[in-house]
Amino acid sequence: MENSEQHNNNENQPFISTNPLFPTGPAEKLFIAGASAFEITTFTPPVQRVTILGINLPEPDTFGPYDSYVATLTVPDSTSTLATLYLVPTEDSQNWVASTLLDFGGTLPFIDVSVRPQLGAQRIGEIVLQGQVFS
């Protein structure tokens, strides 16, 4: 997957950037991929929509006693979490997706994403997808 950007000629349209997420840890040898989409919406004030997509993610229990996936958004070199997104499977259960709205109100920082399998709030597995949402 290559990094792609789309600039619309109509000023009322949002700017969209898509970055790949890469398998890591226990998922390195699996045929999975991921994408993060970053969009500046037309809402006032400008709001950033972040969408995380896990492509061909297996059932979470492939990685141990887990039943869902969670994505964590952080700013590099920061100890705080920017957002936590709980991924849901698509109808065909081949992909998992989540989306959230962020409001920075200023200069946008780089945003790192990590996707992990999870069971409830107590058990979180190793990172299976990672990358940058906005870079």
Side-chain angles (χ1 to χ4, degrees), residues 17-98:
S17 175
T18 303
N19 289 332
L21 299 178
F22 301 99
T24 187
E28 277 185 322
K29 298 190 188 303
L30 299 178
F31 184 67
I32 66 171
S36 60
F38 177 84
E39 169 189 14
I40 298 178
T41 69
T42 55
F43 302 134
T44 304
V47 174
Q48 298 76 39
R49 181 186 338 250
V50 175
T51 302
I52 304 300
L53 172 64
I55 303 165
N56 289 329
L57 275 177
E59 289 296 320
D61 63 5
T62 301
F63 302 108
Y66 306 109
D67 63 2
S68 62
Y69 287 102
V70 62
T72 305
L73 305 180
T74 57
V75 175
D77 300 324
S78 173
T79 58
S80 62
T81 299
L82 190 59
T84 300
L85 290 76
Y86 298 95
L87 283 70
V88 295
T90 56
E91 191 172 312
D92 63 4
S93 295
Q94 294 296 305
N95 305 307
W96 292 70
V97 66

